[in-house]
Amino acid sequence: MRNIFDKFDQSPIWIRLSVLSMLVVVLVAGLLFVKPDNKIAKQTTTPTSYSKRSSAKASTTDKVAADKTKAALTQTVTDAEEAVKTLEAEQTEANATAAQTAVDKVKDEEAKARLQARIQLVKEAMAAAQASAVQQAPVQQQQPVYQAPAVQTPAAPVEAPTQNPETPSTSTTPQQQQ
């Protein structure tokens, strides 16, 4: 071993640098390729072979469960987007309720907020359309109807019975005459 180091010390500088750079490249390549397999290295340090198998099975089932969870989350987001698209196409209360229910099931907060904003825009548009329809209906009913003015025809003068102080009225009673 000492002989190798003596030869290395006596070699030119470019050989020393090239050997050093090759060692660095091997070290970096080893770190890049070994890092993903770090879990496997930890599993091999366990003392029993049963724990190796169970941990390998557990990690496999964890990966499958994680994949299923991601697929379920993606599916709920897709379903919610379809419900919102249906709501945007046909703006009805039933579609608004269905879209809101689908969005409430979404776990991803960013997607949920985006879809909720779209639902809110459609609800505002529906409210504005309903308000304009309500305003239009009374305006059509309140259009003035032309009515001819009432014509007053001069009536024949009604002569009121005049009472002459000398003639007693017919409606008087005998007690009043005394």
Side-chain angles (χ1 to χ4, degrees), residues 17-146:
L17 290 176
S18 62
V19 169
L20 183 63
S21 63
M22 287 177 55
L23 288 174
V24 168
V25 168
V26 169
L27 178 67
V28 170
L31 288 174
L32 291 176
F33 289 112
V34 174
K35 188 174 182 179
D37 298 330
N38 196 10
K39 291 179 183 176
I40 295 172
K42 287 181 182 178
Q43 291 173 359
T44 58
T45 59
T46 55
T48 62
S49 63
Y50 175 74
S51 63
K52 286 182 195 176
R53 283 189 224 135
S54 66
S55 62
K57 249 186 199 178
S59 66
T60 305
T61 56
D62 288 343
K63 288 179 184 178
V64 170
D67 289 342
K68 285 182 181 180
T69 305
K70 285 182 182 178
L73 291 176
T74 304
Q75 185 63 36
T76 57
V77 171
T78 305
D79 292 342
E81 284 180 2
E82 289 299 321
V84 171
K85 284 180 185 177
T86 304
L87 172 63
E88 290 171 342
E90 298 176 26
Q91 297 179 356
T92 63
E93 287 298 321
N95 287 344
T97 304
Q100 187 64 50
T101 304
V103 169
D104 289 341
K105 292 178 184 178
V106 174
K107 301 270 191 245
D108 183 16
E109 293 299 323
E110 182 180 325
K112 189 174 189 176
R114 182 175 34 87
L115 293 170
Q116 189 64 41
R118 287 172 57 189
I119 289 174
Q120 191 61 34
L121 286 174
V122 172
K123 283 183 178 180
E124 289 172 2
M126 288 171 50
Q130 188 177 19
S132 67
V134 168
Q135 270 186 338
Q136 290 292 331
V139 169
Q140 291 174 355
Q141 292 175 356
Q142 293 179 358
Q143 288 180 351
V145 177
Y146 178 75

